[in-house]
């Protein structure tokens, strides 16, 4: 098994919005990375995504210290953060409740553990292969999965941005998953909010790491591309490069 050095680039852009409800964390010590896209009236979306990037690393750390396995630690971090956001919302009047997406990657003992709620995504770029590792928890995607809509119809569905699973979801009932993969030297992992993923192509992901091996350079270009392509949303990405240790 190769020894890896992880190099990481990250950027979050407010874009044309009056505030930035996206948040990210690059936790180098734990090799844990989170991208979150908050939802809610007034400033509540920002509060929810800030809670996610604050709580998830702290809960993972505490549970790993307590000798839990990485997948259980991450699973519980998602469930406990969900509960914290639901509880925090309960103290607020209706209309000030909140939620957030979160896509998380944890590199631990040679494996990468991915968990996601909402429609922020993780992509693995390996050589010229691009693989989306997460499923969008949007109503439109659920209708595609059940055969009610085609992929093309879903792109224009009013339900494309309606989420049925996210952090801050009172009816989550433990419904979240953690899936691991074994990284290879040269892999690029991208975590991104929909403000980015709606405005970049699979070709951008396939070619980008070859043209821009430095992860910070590449994520800067991806953010700029999404903005240049008319993203009116906040745009956020984290790129993790798995390189051979010297
Ligand atoms: Ca967004």
């Amino acid at each position: 098994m190769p020894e890896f050095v992880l190099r990481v680039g990250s950027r979050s852009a407010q874009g044309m919005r009056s505030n930035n409800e996206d948040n990210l964390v690059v936790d180098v010590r734990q090799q844990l990375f989170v991208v979150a896209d908050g939802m809610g009236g007034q400033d509540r979306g920002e509060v929810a995504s800030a809670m996610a990037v604050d709580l998830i690393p702290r809960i993972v750390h505490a549970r790993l210290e307590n000798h839990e396995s990485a997948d259980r630690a991450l699973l519980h971090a998602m469930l406990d953060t969900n509960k914290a956001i639901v509880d925090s919302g309960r103290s607020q009047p209706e209309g000030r409740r909140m939620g957030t997406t979160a896509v998380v990657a944890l590199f631990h003992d040679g494996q990468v553990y991915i968990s996601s709620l909402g429609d922020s995504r993780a992509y693995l770029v390996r050589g010229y292969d691009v693989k989306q590792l997460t499923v969008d928890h949007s109503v439109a995607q659920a209708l595609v999965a059940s055969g009610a809509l085609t992929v093309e119809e879903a792109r224009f569905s009013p339900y494309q941005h309606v989420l049925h699973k996210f952090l801050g979801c009172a009816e989550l009932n433990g419904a979240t998953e953690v899936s691991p993969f074994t990284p290879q030297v040269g892999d690029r992992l991208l975590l991104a909010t929909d403000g980015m993923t709606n405005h970049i192509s699979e070709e951008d992901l396939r070619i980008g790491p070859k043209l821009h091996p430095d992860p910070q350079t590449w994520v800067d270009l991806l953010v700029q591309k999404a903005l240049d392509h008319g993203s009116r949303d906040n745009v956020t990405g984290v790129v993790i490069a798995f390189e051979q240790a010297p």
Side-chain angles (χ1 to χ4, degrees):
M1 193 166 65
E3 288 285 315
F4 290 101
V5 171
L6 271 52
R7 287 199 300 143
V8 185
S10 64
R11 188 171 162 208
S12 184
Q14 187 170 320
M16 297 172 75
R17 290 278 181 88
S18 60
N19 61 341
N20 191 350
E21 298 187 321
D22 287 358
N23 263 296
L24 65 86
V25 67
V26 172
D27 180 343
V28 175
R29 190 180 51 129
Q30 293 200 85
Q31 303 198 310
L32 173 73
F33 312 95
V34 185
V35 162
D37 178 352
M39 308 162 279
Q42 300 172 46
D43 60 348
R44 303 308 288 169
E46 279 173 83
V47 173
S49 62
M51 283 180 76
V53 301
D54 174 47
L55 288 174
I56 292 168
R58 286 203 279 140
I59 298 167
V60 167
H61 179 72
R63 288 184 173 265
L64 288 176
E65 288 275 288
N66 208 23
H67 308 291
E68 267 182 43
S69 62
D71 56 344
R72 303 245 358 128
L74 184 48
L75 180 74
H76 282 286
M78 296 296 267
L79 295 177
D80 293 357
T81 300
N82 181 64
K83 185 172 181 324
I85 293 174
V86 170
D87 289 348
S88 172
R90 285 218 169 95
S91 65
Q92 298 284 333
E94 223 166 310
R96 282 182 62 82
R97 307 255 167 101
M98 58 185 175
T100 184
T101 73
V103 57
V104 188
L106 170 66
F107 179 57
H108 189 83
D109 283 345
Q111 293 284 297
V112 181
Y113 297 86
I114 302 282
S115 190
S116 176
L117 286 168
D119 63 355
S120 299
R121 293 181 181 170
Y123 285 96
L124 174 64
V125 186
R126 176 172 288 168
Y128 286 93
D129 279 341
V130 176
K131 192 169 165 199
Q132 185 180 329
L133 301 177
T134 51
V135 174
D136 293 351
H137 296 131
S138 68
V139 173
Q141 182 56 46
L143 290 167
V144 171
S146 71
L149 287 184
T150 65
V151 172
E152 190 59 18
E153 285 165 343
R155 280 165 58 91
F156 302 99
S157 162
Y159 299 115
Q160 199 198 346
H161 300 293
V162 180
L163 302 182
H164 60 86
K165 279 200 234 172
F166 49 90
L167 291 174
C169 184
E171 295 87 28
L172 195 60
N173 297 329
T176 179
E177 288 167 18
V178 174
S179 27
F181 73 91
T182 306
Q184 295 182 5
V185 172
D187 282 355
R188 295 291 186 278
L189 182 63
L190 169 69
L191 310 181
T193 59
D194 65 340
M196 177 182 287
T197 60
N198 286 336
H199 298 277
I200 57 172
S201 67
E202 198 171 303
E203 196 60 14
D204 294 328
L205 299 182
R206 198 185 321 280
I207 300 300
K210 286 81 189 169
L211 300 176
H212 313 289
D214 176 59
Q216 187 62 52
T217 305
W218 189 38
V219 79
D220 285 342
L221 285 164
L222 287 172
V223 168
Q224 196 54 51
K225 183 151 203 169
L227 294 171
D228 291 347
H229 282 197
S231 182
R232 305 176 71 83
D233 199 355
N234 309 136
V235 181
T236 300
V238 173
V239 169
I240 301 126
F242 292 83
E243 311 217 321
Q244 177 94 55

